[in-house]
Structure formats: structure tokens, C-alpha cells
Amino acid sequence: MSSARTTRRKWVVVSLVTTMLAIRLSRPVSQLPGKTLSVCDRANGTRQSLLFSSASFIRMSRRTYAGEVDPVGSKAVLVTGCDSGFGFSLAKHLHSKGFLVFAGCLMKDKGHDGVKELDSLKSDRLRTIQLNVCSSEEVEKAVEIVHSSLKDPEKGMWGLVNNAGISTFGEVEFTSMETYKQVAEVNLWGTVRMTKSFLPLIRRAKGRVVNISSMLGRMANPARSPYCITKFGVEAFSDCLRYEMHPLGVKVSIVEPGNFIAATSLYSPESIKAIAKKMWDELPEVVRRDYGKKYFDERIAKMETYCKSGSTDTSPVIDAVTHALTAATPYTRYHPMDYYWWLRMQIMTHLPGAVSDRLYIY
């Protein structure tokens, strides 16, 4: 009887998942290629396949956008974290679209290669500025630079893209309090600090605030709690800000990228090993003894696999941010991610926890 009940539950999950995916896709689910999704049967410890295509690397079709605001002309936008990754690509893309771009770079004063490449464009519409989002002094200096560079400061600045961020990994007992605080200082408090400082200019332009969150700002993941905590915080901050800014004409959007680690070079095999070694060396003896080195190494190996499996094309993220800045009616949330991650996020945020736990944990 228990087995029959379990089977019925699985088919309920299949039906719900299939319906959600069918709504999302422009072609029938039956035409999708890929692997079957499997779940673990706790009764006998085996995994059973569900009749549903959900391959990890099914690529999302490019979302089509329409209805842009007036030509961007000399609209000013500030993007943080432009030394590399999304920020670097976004600064160049927005410049090509005609924006006046202020590219905030953490490593400008150290002559970072990415900064040099942006400066080599020698454009009067692209200016790199030294900007550490953790430093109130540098943030206020950035406000002064932008204010003095605008033709008419009273008309304000059109857009702020809070892109700067850092990541880390490690289970709760493996992660130091210093690491939790460091990640939060950049990802969460840096976003809050930048937004509060630039809102007076954004309000005058009735402009846009675009916050780069993550799919891990909507669904938690083992060994990523420092990052998840900060991105969940960015989501909450963005929602509160959107409610407050709506009557003032300012639009607030959240971009939730999937796994783009491979494209942003956030981690290399060497850096993962270095972080892991430092983490293990600093663990309390009781934690090392209870978990053991074999378990620890297995967790690190999973992180290495995850970092190698991500998307290498950042254009969906760039397109999403561009739409948030230029569309007459930008979306509240953008989901540039593979279908597998989009579907997983829907399941984990819309279905009971017992369902997602059975699919992804047990």
C-alpha cells in the first residue's frame, strides 16, 4: 500500500512539473531532448526515473524583448564590479548602446587588465572609476564624480546596476564567521550602500535600479549558505525598494542568473583547492574528526564539478540587464538560466518542501 501511495505521489509531481514546463516552453515537452529526472526511493535506496525530460544542459531559448524607452542618448548608468565578468561585458555593451557609462572597478588603482581594456576605448561616454562598494568613502567619491560629470545633475542619473559580488563555498560547519561577514559586506551591504547613496540621482531621473541576485537567492543549496544568505537578502531588499519607489516613478528589477561560473572565471581548479586547504586547516579539531577528510574531499569534488558545468555564454544576462534598463515596462525578475535550473527553482519555490526535498536531497 505504501509503495502504491509513493508511486501516485511521484506521478502527481510529474504532472505538475510537466504542466509548468509546458507553459514555459514554446514547443511540446515531448520534443525536448535530454536525460530523465530521477528520484531516490528511500524504501530500498534505489533511484527511479521519471518520464520527463529535464537535462541539466537544455539551453533556454533567447527571450524576446520589446517596447523600449526613448533612445538612450546620453542617459547615464553606473555599473559596479566592472573589472571582469558580467560587469566588464555589460559596461562595453551599454556603451555600444549609446549610454554614458560609469564603470566602477575595484582594481582600478592597481592597474587591472580589465580596467585597462575599458580605458583603451578612449570614449567620452565610458569612464572607469575606483570603487570598492564596501568603502563608504569610495562610494561617496563615486557619487561626486557622477554628479559633476552629468550635463544637468538636476535631471539625475538613469540607472544603477549593482553587479559587484563575491562567492564562496563550504558547509555551515566548514565556514568561518569571518567568511560569512566578508561575503555579506560585499554582496548585501555593498548593494544597500550603493543604492542608498545614488537614489537621490535615480529619483530625479525616474530611472532604474537593477540588482544582480542569483538563482541561489530564490532556492538554497548545500555548501553555499554564505552566498545564499546574501542573495536572499538582496531579493528582499529589492522587493522592499520596488514597493517604495513605485509611486516615485523609479523601477526596480532583479536579475537572477543561473550557473555562469565557467563564463565568469570566478573559480579555477587551483583557487578551489587553495580555498579548500585553508578551510580544512582552520577547522576546529572536533569538526575535522567528526566529518573526516574523505567526506570533506567529496564535498570539494562536487564543487569542482559544479564550477565546470556552468554556461559559458553571458549574453542572456547582458540582455536581461539591458532590457531592465531600456524597456518601457521592465520585468520585476529576470531568469537567465538553463531550463534545468529554471524548472528546479519553480519546484523549490512553488511546491511543498517535501516534494523538492525528495527530488533534490533524499
Side-chain angles (χ1 to χ4, degrees), residues 276-334:
K277 182 180 185 305
K278 183 175 185 295
M279 189 184 301
W280 178 259
D281 291 344
E282 294 178 354
L283 285 182
E285 181 58 34
V286 65
V287 176
R288 278 190 284 193
R289 185 174 64 249
D290 289 350
Y291 283 92
K293 191 66 162 62
K294 182 176 182 293
Y295 177 89
F296 181 87
D297 289 342
E298 288 173 350
R299 299 304 97 186
I300 300 305
K302 286 191 72 172
M303 185 63 190
E304 290 177 331
T305 300
Y306 175 77
C307 291
K308 294 175 183 175
S309 66
S311 302
T312 56
D313 177 17
T314 62
S315 60
V317 179
I318 304 306
D319 290 347
V321 176
T322 303
H323 183 264
L325 290 170
T326 61
T329 54
Y331 302 134
T332 299
R333 283 179 168 82
Y334 295 80

Short mmCIF file of all heavy atoms in Angstrom, two decimals, residues 276-334:
data_model
loop_
_atom_site.label_atom_id
_atom_site.label_comp_id
_atom_site.label_asym_id
_atom_site.label_seq_id
_atom_site.Cartn_x
_atom_site.Cartn_y
_atom_site.Cartn_z
N ALA A 276 39.92 25.30 -0.27
CA ALA A 276 39.64 24.09 0.48
C ALA A 276 40.73 23.79 1.51
O ALA A 276 40.44 23.41 2.65
CB ALA A 276 39.49 22.91 -0.48
N LYS A 277 41.97 23.97 1.11
CA LYS A 277 43.09 23.70 2.03
C LYS A 277 43.04 24.63 3.24
O LYS A 277 43.20 24.21 4.39
CB LYS A 277 44.43 23.86 1.31
CG LYS A 277 45.64 23.53 2.20
CD LYS A 277 46.94 23.71 1.45
CE LYS A 277 48.12 23.26 2.33
NZ LYS A 277 48.16 23.93 3.63
N LYS A 278 42.80 25.92 2.95
CA LYS A 278 42.71 26.89 4.04
C LYS A 278 41.55 26.57 4.96
O LYS A 278 41.65 26.65 6.20
CB LYS A 278 42.56 28.30 3.46
CG LYS A 278 42.54 29.42 4.50
CD LYS A 278 42.51 30.77 3.80
CE LYS A 278 42.61 31.91 4.81
NZ LYS A 278 41.46 31.98 5.72
N MET A 279 40.42 26.17 4.37
CA MET A 279 39.24 25.85 5.15
C MET A 279 39.51 24.65 6.07
O MET A 279 39.19 24.69 7.27
CB MET A 279 38.07 25.54 4.19
CG MET A 279 36.72 25.38 4.85
SD MET A 279 35.45 24.89 3.63
CE MET A 279 35.54 26.27 2.48
N TRP A 280 40.11 23.60 5.51
CA TRP A 280 40.40 22.40 6.30
C TRP A 280 41.39 22.70 7.43
O TRP A 280 41.20 22.26 8.56
CB TRP A 280 40.94 21.30 5.40
CG TRP A 280 41.31 20.05 6.16
CD1 TRP A 280 42.56 19.65 6.53
CD2 TRP A 280 40.41 19.06 6.65
NE1 TRP A 280 42.50 18.46 7.22
CE2 TRP A 280 41.19 18.07 7.31
CE3 TRP A 280 39.02 18.89 6.60
CZ2 TRP A 280 40.63 16.95 7.91
CZ3 TRP A 280 38.45 17.78 7.20
CH2 TRP A 280 39.25 16.82 7.84
N ASP A 281 42.42 23.47 7.11
CA ASP A 281 43.45 23.79 8.11
C ASP A 281 42.88 24.58 9.28
O ASP A 281 43.39 24.48 10.40
CB ASP A 281 44.59 24.57 7.46
CG ASP A 281 45.42 23.73 6.50
OD1 ASP A 281 45.31 22.48 6.57
OD2 ASP A 281 46.15 24.31 5.67
N GLU A 282 41.84 25.39 9.02
CA GLU A 282 41.31 26.25 10.06
C GLU A 282 40.11 25.65 10.80
O GLU A 282 39.59 26.27 11.72
CB GLU A 282 40.90 27.60 9.44
CG GLU A 282 42.09 28.39 8.92
CD GLU A 282 41.68 29.70 8.25
OE1 GLU A 282 40.45 29.92 8.11
OE2 GLU A 282 42.57 30.48 7.89
N LEU A 283 39.69 24.45 10.40
CA LEU A 283 38.54 23.82 11.06
C LEU A 283 38.86 23.44 12.50
O LEU A 283 39.98 22.99 12.79
CB LEU A 283 38.10 22.56 10.30
CG LEU A 283 37.35 22.73 8.98
CD1 LEU A 283 36.97 21.36 8.43
CD2 LEU A 283 36.12 23.59 9.16
N PRO A 284 37.90 23.57 13.41
CA PRO A 284 38.09 23.06 14.76
C PRO A 284 38.36 21.56 14.71
O PRO A 284 37.81 20.85 13.85
CB PRO A 284 36.76 23.37 15.45
CG PRO A 284 36.16 24.48 14.65
CD PRO A 284 36.59 24.24 13.23
N GLU A 285 39.16 21.07 15.61
CA GLU A 285 39.53 19.66 15.61
C GLU A 285 38.32 18.75 15.70
O GLU A 285 38.25 17.70 15.04
CB GLU A 285 40.48 19.38 16.78
CG GLU A 285 40.96 17.93 16.85
CD GLU A 285 41.66 17.49 15.57
OE1 GLU A 285 42.34 18.32 14.94
OE2 GLU A 285 41.51 16.31 15.21
N VAL A 286 37.31 19.13 16.47
CA VAL A 286 36.13 18.30 16.62
C VAL A 286 35.37 18.15 15.30
O VAL A 286 34.83 17.08 15.00
CB VAL A 286 35.18 18.86 17.72
CG1 VAL A 286 34.63 20.23 17.32
CG2 VAL A 286 34.04 17.89 17.99
N VAL A 287 35.35 19.21 14.49
CA VAL A 287 34.67 19.15 13.18
C VAL A 287 35.45 18.25 12.24
O VAL A 287 34.87 17.42 11.52
CB VAL A 287 34.51 20.56 12.59
CG1 VAL A 287 33.89 20.49 11.19
CG2 VAL A 287 33.63 21.42 13.50
N ARG A 288 36.77 18.40 12.21
CA ARG A 288 37.58 17.55 11.34
C ARG A 288 37.42 16.07 11.70
O ARG A 288 37.31 15.20 10.83
CB ARG A 288 39.06 17.94 11.44
CG ARG A 288 39.42 19.13 10.58
CD ARG A 288 40.90 19.34 10.50
NE ARG A 288 41.43 19.93 11.71
CZ ARG A 288 42.66 20.44 11.81
NH1 ARG A 288 43.46 20.42 10.78
NH2 ARG A 288 43.06 20.98 12.94
N ARG A 289 37.40 15.80 12.99
CA ARG A 289 37.30 14.42 13.44
C ARG A 289 35.92 13.83 13.13
O ARG A 289 35.80 12.69 12.67
CB ARG A 289 37.56 14.36 14.95
CG ARG A 289 37.60 12.91 15.50
CD ARG A 289 38.00 12.89 16.95
NE ARG A 289 37.02 13.57 17.81
CZ ARG A 289 37.26 14.72 18.44
NH1 ARG A 289 38.44 15.32 18.31
NH2 ARG A 289 36.34 15.28 19.20
N ASP A 290 34.87 14.61 13.34
CA ASP A 290 33.51 14.10 13.15
C ASP A 290 33.18 13.85 11.68
O ASP A 290 32.50 12.88 11.34
CB ASP A 290 32.48 15.05 13.75
CG ASP A 290 32.51 15.05 15.28
OD1 ASP A 290 33.19 14.17 15.85
OD2 ASP A 290 31.86 15.92 15.88
N TYR A 291 33.61 14.75 10.80
CA TYR A 291 33.30 14.61 9.38
C TYR A 291 34.31 13.73 8.66
O TYR A 291 33.95 12.93 7.79
CB TYR A 291 33.24 15.98 8.69
CG TYR A 291 31.96 16.74 8.97
CD1 TYR A 291 31.87 17.63 10.03
CD2 TYR A 291 30.84 16.57 8.16
CE1 TYR A 291 30.70 18.34 10.28
CE2 TYR A 291 29.66 17.27 8.39
CZ TYR A 291 29.61 18.16 9.46
OH TYR A 291 28.44 18.85 9.70
N GLY A 292 35.58 13.93 8.95
CA GLY A 292 36.62 13.16 8.29
C GLY A 292 37.05 13.78 6.98
O GLY A 292 36.29 14.47 6.30
N LYS A 293 38.30 13.51 6.59
CA LYS A 293 38.86 14.10 5.37
C LYS A 293 38.18 13.56 4.11
O LYS A 293 38.02 14.29 3.13
CB LYS A 293 40.37 13.80 5.31
CG LYS A 293 41.11 14.58 4.23
CD LYS A 293 41.11 16.07 4.53
CE LYS A 293 42.18 16.82 3.75
NZ LYS A 293 42.03 16.76 2.30
N LYS A 294 37.76 12.29 4.13
CA LYS A 294 37.13 11.71 2.95
C LYS A 294 35.84 12.45 2.61
O LYS A 294 35.61 12.82 1.44
CB LYS A 294 36.83 10.23 3.20
CG LYS A 294 36.21 9.50 2.00
CD LYS A 294 36.04 8.02 2.30
CE LYS A 294 35.47 7.27 1.09
NZ LYS A 294 34.09 7.68 0.78
N TYR A 295 35.00 12.70 3.60
CA TYR A 295 33.75 13.43 3.36
C TYR A 295 34.06 14.85 2.86
O TYR A 295 33.45 15.33 1.90
CB TYR A 295 32.93 13.51 4.64
CG TYR A 295 31.65 14.31 4.50
CD1 TYR A 295 30.47 13.70 4.09
CD2 TYR A 295 31.62 15.67 4.78
CE1 TYR A 295 29.29 14.42 3.96
CE2 TYR A 295 30.47 16.41 4.64
CZ TYR A 295 29.30 15.78 4.22
OH TYR A 295 28.15 16.52 4.09
N PHE A 296 35.00 15.51 3.50
CA PHE A 296 35.37 16.87 3.12
C PHE A 296 35.82 16.92 1.66
O PHE A 296 35.38 17.77 0.89
CB PHE A 296 36.48 17.37 4.04
CG PHE A 296 36.93 18.78 3.76
CD1 PHE A 296 36.28 19.86 4.34
CD2 PHE A 296 38.01 19.03 2.92
CE1 PHE A 296 36.70 21.16 4.08
CE2 PHE A 296 38.43 20.32 2.65
CZ PHE A 296 37.77 21.39 3.24
N ASP A 297 36.68 15.99 1.27
CA ASP A 297 37.19 15.96 -0.11
C ASP A 297 36.08 15.69 -1.12
O ASP A 297 36.09 16.23 -2.23
CB ASP A 297 38.29 14.91 -0.24
CG ASP A 297 39.57 15.30 0.48
OD1 ASP A 297 39.74 16.50 0.77
OD2 ASP A 297 40.40 14.41 0.74
N GLU A 298 35.11 14.86 -0.74
CA GLU A 298 33.98 14.59 -1.63
C GLU A 298 33.16 15.86 -1.87
O GLU A 298 32.68 16.10 -2.98
CB GLU A 298 33.09 13.49 -1.03
CG GLU A 298 33.71 12.11 -1.07
CD GLU A 298 32.88 11.08 -0.31
OE1 GLU A 298 31.93 11.51 0.40
OE2 GLU A 298 33.17 9.88 -0.42
N ARG A 299 32.98 16.68 -0.83
CA ARG A 299 32.24 17.94 -0.99
C ARG A 299 32.99 18.89 -1.91
O ARG A 299 32.38 19.58 -2.74
CB ARG A 299 32.04 18.62 0.36
CG ARG A 299 31.25 17.85 1.41
CD ARG A 299 29.88 17.45 0.92
NE ARG A 299 29.87 16.08 0.42
CZ ARG A 299 28.86 15.49 -0.17
NH1 ARG A 299 27.74 16.17 -0.38
NH2 ARG A 299 28.92 14.24 -0.57
N ILE A 300 34.29 18.94 -1.77
CA ILE A 300 35.09 19.82 -2.62
C ILE A 300 35.03 19.34 -4.08
O ILE A 300 34.93 20.16 -5.00
CB ILE A 300 36.55 19.86 -2.13
CG1 ILE A 300 36.62 20.39 -0.69
CG2 ILE A 300 37.41 20.73 -3.06
CD1 ILE A 300 35.98 21.73 -0.48
N ALA A 301 35.06 18.04 -4.28
CA ALA A 301 34.98 17.49 -5.64
C ALA A 301 33.65 17.86 -6.29
O ALA A 301 33.60 18.16 -7.49
CB ALA A 301 35.15 15.98 -5.60
N LYS A 302 32.56 17.86 -5.51
CA LYS A 302 31.25 18.26 -6.05
C LYS A 302 31.27 19.72 -6.48
O LYS A 302 30.68 20.09 -7.50
CB LYS A 302 30.15 18.03 -5.02
CG LYS A 302 29.78 16.58 -4.80
CD LYS A 302 28.51 16.43 -3.99
CE LYS A 302 27.28 16.82 -4.78
NZ LYS A 302 26.02 16.50 -4.08
N MET A 303 31.94 20.56 -5.71
CA MET A 303 32.03 21.97 -6.07
C MET A 303 32.83 22.15 -7.35
O MET A 303 32.48 22.97 -8.20
CB MET A 303 32.69 22.76 -4.92
CG MET A 303 32.70 24.25 -5.15
SD MET A 303 31.04 24.95 -5.23
CE MET A 303 31.39 26.63 -5.79
N GLU A 304 33.90 21.38 -7.51
CA GLU A 304 34.70 21.46 -8.73
C GLU A 304 33.87 21.08 -9.95
O GLU A 304 33.94 21.73 -11.00
CB GLU A 304 35.92 20.55 -8.62
CG GLU A 304 36.97 21.04 -7.62
CD GLU A 304 38.13 20.07 -7.48
OE1 GLU A 304 37.91 18.86 -7.68
OE2 GLU A 304 39.24 20.53 -7.18
N THR A 305 33.05 20.04 -9.81
CA THR A 305 32.19 19.60 -10.91
C THR A 305 31.16 20.68 -11.25
O THR A 305 30.91 20.98 -12.42
CB THR A 305 31.46 18.30 -10.54
OG1 THR A 305 32.42 17.28 -10.28
CG2 THR A 305 30.53 17.85 -11.66
N TYR A 306 30.57 21.29 -10.23
CA TYR A 306 29.58 22.35 -10.42
C TYR A 306 30.20 23.53 -11.18
O TYR A 306 29.58 24.09 -12.09
CB TYR A 306 29.05 22.80 -9.07
CG TYR A 306 28.11 23.98 -9.13
CD1 TYR A 306 26.79 23.83 -9.54
CD2 TYR A 306 28.53 25.25 -8.75
CE1 TYR A 306 25.92 24.90 -9.59
CE2 TYR A 306 27.67 26.34 -8.79
CZ TYR A 306 26.37 26.16 -9.22
OH TYR A 306 25.51 27.24 -9.27
N CYS A 307 31.41 23.89 -10.82
CA CYS A 307 32.07 25.04 -11.45
C CYS A 307 32.39 24.80 -12.92
O CYS A 307 32.45 25.73 -13.72
CB CYS A 307 33.35 25.40 -10.69
SG CYS A 307 33.05 26.07 -9.04
N LYS A 308 32.59 23.54 -13.27
CA LYS A 308 32.92 23.21 -14.67
C LYS A 308 31.68 23.08 -15.54
O LYS A 308 31.77 23.06 -16.76
CB LYS A 308 33.70 21.90 -14.72
CG LYS A 308 35.08 21.96 -14.09
CD LYS A 308 35.73 20.58 -14.07
CE LYS A 308 37.08 20.60 -13.38
NZ LYS A 308 37.66 19.24 -13.27
N SER A 309 30.50 22.94 -14.91
CA SER A 309 29.30 22.60 -15.66
C SER A 309 28.45 23.79 -16.09
O SER A 309 27.43 23.62 -16.73
CB SER A 309 28.43 21.66 -14.82
OG SER A 309 27.94 22.34 -13.67
N GLY A 310 28.84 24.99 -15.73
CA GLY A 310 28.00 26.15 -16.00
C GLY A 310 28.03 26.63 -17.43
O GLY A 310 28.82 26.18 -18.26
N SER A 311 27.15 27.57 -17.73
CA SER A 311 27.07 28.18 -19.05
C SER A 311 28.31 29.04 -19.30
O SER A 311 28.85 29.66 -18.39
CB SER A 311 25.82 29.06 -19.15
OG SER A 311 24.65 28.31 -18.89
N THR A 312 28.74 29.07 -20.54
CA THR A 312 29.90 29.87 -20.91
C THR A 312 29.52 31.13 -21.69
O THR A 312 30.38 31.95 -21.99
CB THR A 312 30.88 29.03 -21.76
OG1 THR A 312 30.18 28.52 -22.91
CG2 THR A 312 31.43 27.86 -20.96
N ASP A 313 28.25 31.28 -22.01
CA ASP A 313 27.76 32.43 -22.77
C ASP A 313 27.02 33.38 -21.82
O ASP A 313 25.96 33.03 -21.29
CB ASP A 313 26.83 31.96 -23.88
CG ASP A 313 26.21 33.11 -24.66
OD1 ASP A 313 26.74 34.24 -24.57
OD2 ASP A 313 25.21 32.86 -25.37
N THR A 314 27.58 34.55 -21.58
CA THR A 314 26.96 35.51 -20.65
C THR A 314 25.90 36.38 -21.30
O THR A 314 25.26 37.17 -20.60
CB THR A 314 28.03 36.43 -20.03
OG1 THR A 314 28.65 37.20 -21.08
CG2 THR A 314 29.10 35.63 -19.29
N SER A 315 25.69 36.25 -22.59
CA SER A 315 24.77 37.16 -23.27
C SER A 315 23.35 37.16 -22.72
O SER A 315 22.70 38.21 -22.71
CB SER A 315 24.75 36.88 -24.79
OG SER A 315 24.34 35.56 -25.05
N PRO A 316 22.80 36.02 -22.23
CA PRO A 316 21.45 36.10 -21.63
C PRO A 316 21.39 37.05 -20.44
O PRO A 316 20.39 37.74 -20.24
CB PRO A 316 21.17 34.66 -21.22
CG PRO A 316 22.00 33.83 -22.13
CD PRO A 316 23.26 34.62 -22.32
N VAL A 317 22.46 37.10 -19.65
CA VAL A 317 22.49 38.01 -18.50
C VAL A 317 22.60 39.46 -18.98
O VAL A 317 21.89 40.34 -18.48
CB VAL A 317 23.67 37.67 -17.57
CG1 VAL A 317 23.73 38.64 -16.40
CG2 VAL A 317 23.56 36.24 -17.07
N ILE A 318 23.46 39.68 -19.96
CA ILE A 318 23.64 41.04 -20.50
C ILE A 318 22.33 41.53 -21.12
O ILE A 318 21.93 42.68 -20.92
CB ILE A 318 24.77 41.05 -21.56
CG1 ILE A 318 26.07 40.50 -20.97
CG2 ILE A 318 24.96 42.46 -22.09
CD1 ILE A 318 26.53 41.19 -19.71
N ASP A 319 21.65 40.65 -21.85
CA ASP A 319 20.37 41.03 -22.48
C ASP A 319 19.32 41.37 -21.42
O ASP A 319 18.54 42.30 -21.58
CB ASP A 319 19.84 39.88 -23.35
CG ASP A 319 20.66 39.67 -24.61
OD1 ASP A 319 21.48 40.56 -24.93
OD2 ASP A 319 20.51 38.62 -25.25
N ALA A 320 19.31 40.60 -20.34
CA ALA A 320 18.32 40.83 -19.28
C ALA A 320 18.54 42.19 -18.62
O ALA A 320 17.60 42.96 -18.41
CB ALA A 320 18.41 39.72 -18.24
N VAL A 321 19.79 42.51 -18.29
CA VAL A 321 20.09 43.81 -17.66
C VAL A 321 19.76 44.95 -18.61
O VAL A 321 19.19 45.97 -18.21
CB VAL A 321 21.56 43.88 -17.22
CG1 VAL A 321 21.88 45.26 -16.66
CG2 VAL A 321 21.88 42.81 -16.19
N THR A 322 20.10 44.77 -19.88
CA THR A 322 19.82 45.81 -20.88
C THR A 322 18.32 46.06 -20.98
O THR A 322 17.87 47.22 -21.05
CB THR A 322 20.39 45.40 -22.25
OG1 THR A 322 21.80 45.15 -22.14
CG2 THR A 322 20.15 46.49 -23.28
N HIS A 323 17.54 44.99 -20.99
CA HIS A 323 16.09 45.16 -21.05
C HIS A 323 15.58 45.88 -19.81
O HIS A 323 14.71 46.75 -19.90
CB HIS A 323 15.41 43.80 -21.17
CG HIS A 323 13.92 43.88 -21.32
ND1 HIS A 323 13.06 43.76 -20.25
CD2 HIS A 323 13.14 44.10 -22.41
CE1 HIS A 323 11.81 43.89 -20.67
NE2 HIS A 323 11.83 44.09 -21.98
N ALA A 324 16.10 45.53 -18.65
CA ALA A 324 15.67 46.18 -17.41
C ALA A 324 15.95 47.67 -17.43
O ALA A 324 15.23 48.47 -16.82
CB ALA A 324 16.37 45.54 -16.21
N LEU A 325 16.99 48.07 -18.16
CA LEU A 325 17.36 49.49 -18.24
C LEU A 325 16.64 50.23 -19.36
O LEU A 325 16.48 51.46 -19.28
CB LEU A 325 18.87 49.64 -18.46
CG LEU A 325 19.78 49.27 -17.28
CD1 LEU A 325 21.23 49.23 -17.75
CD2 LEU A 325 19.62 50.27 -16.14
N THR A 326 16.20 49.52 -20.39
CA THR A 326 15.68 50.20 -21.58
C THR A 326 14.20 49.98 -21.85
O THR A 326 13.59 50.74 -22.60
CB THR A 326 16.47 49.77 -22.84
OG1 THR A 326 16.32 48.35 -23.02
CG2 THR A 326 17.94 50.10 -22.70
N ALA A 327 13.61 48.93 -21.29
CA ALA A 327 12.21 48.64 -21.60
C ALA A 327 11.27 49.64 -20.95
O ALA A 327 11.51 50.12 -19.84
CB ALA A 327 11.85 47.23 -21.12
N ALA A 328 10.20 49.96 -21.66
CA ALA A 328 9.19 50.86 -21.09
C ALA A 328 8.57 50.24 -19.85
O ALA A 328 8.25 50.93 -18.88
CB ALA A 328 8.13 51.16 -22.14
N THR A 329 8.40 48.93 -19.87
CA THR A 329 7.86 48.21 -18.71
C THR A 329 8.78 47.03 -18.40
O THR A 329 8.52 45.90 -18.83
CB THR A 329 6.43 47.70 -18.99
OG1 THR A 329 6.43 46.93 -20.20
CG2 THR A 329 5.47 48.87 -19.13
N PRO A 330 9.85 47.27 -17.67
CA PRO A 330 10.79 46.18 -17.34
C PRO A 330 10.14 45.15 -16.42
O PRO A 330 9.18 45.46 -15.72
CB PRO A 330 11.94 46.92 -16.64
CG PRO A 330 11.29 48.12 -16.04
CD PRO A 330 10.24 48.54 -17.03
N TYR A 331 10.67 43.94 -16.45
CA TYR A 331 10.15 42.89 -15.59
C TYR A 331 10.66 43.07 -14.16
O TYR A 331 11.69 43.69 -13.92
CB TYR A 331 10.58 41.51 -16.10
CG TYR A 331 10.15 41.22 -17.50
CD1 TYR A 331 11.04 40.67 -18.42
CD2 TYR A 331 8.85 41.49 -17.92
CE1 TYR A 331 10.65 40.40 -19.73
CE2 TYR A 331 8.44 41.21 -19.22
CZ TYR A 331 9.35 40.67 -20.13
OH TYR A 331 8.95 40.41 -21.40
N THR A 332 9.91 42.51 -13.23
CA THR A 332 10.34 42.51 -11.84
C THR A 332 11.54 41.60 -11.66
O THR A 332 12.52 41.95 -11.00
CB THR A 332 9.21 42.03 -10.91
OG1 THR A 332 8.11 42.93 -11.04
CG2 THR A 332 9.67 41.98 -9.46
N ARG A 333 11.47 40.40 -12.28
CA ARG A 333 12.56 39.42 -12.18
C ARG A 333 12.91 38.86 -13.55
O ARG A 333 12.02 38.60 -14.37
CB ARG A 333 12.18 38.27 -11.23
CG ARG A 333 12.27 38.64 -9.77
CD ARG A 333 11.85 37.48 -8.86
NE ARG A 333 12.21 37.76 -7.47
CZ ARG A 333 11.49 38.52 -6.65
NH1 ARG A 333 10.34 39.04 -7.10
NH2 ARG A 333 11.89 38.74 -5.41
N TYR A 334 14.19 38.64 -13.76
CA TYR A 334 14.69 38.02 -14.98
C TYR A 334 15.39 36.73 -14.59
O TYR A 334 16.08 36.67 -13.57
CB TYR A 334 15.67 38.95 -15.69
CG TYR A 334 15.06 40.23 -16.20
CD1 TYR A 334 14.84 41.31 -15.33
CD2 TYR A 334 14.72 40.39 -17.54
CE1 TYR A 334 14.27 42.49 -15.80
CE2 TYR A 334 14.16 41.57 -18.01
CZ TYR A 334 13.94 42.63 -17.14
OH TYR A 334 13.38 43.79 -17.59
#
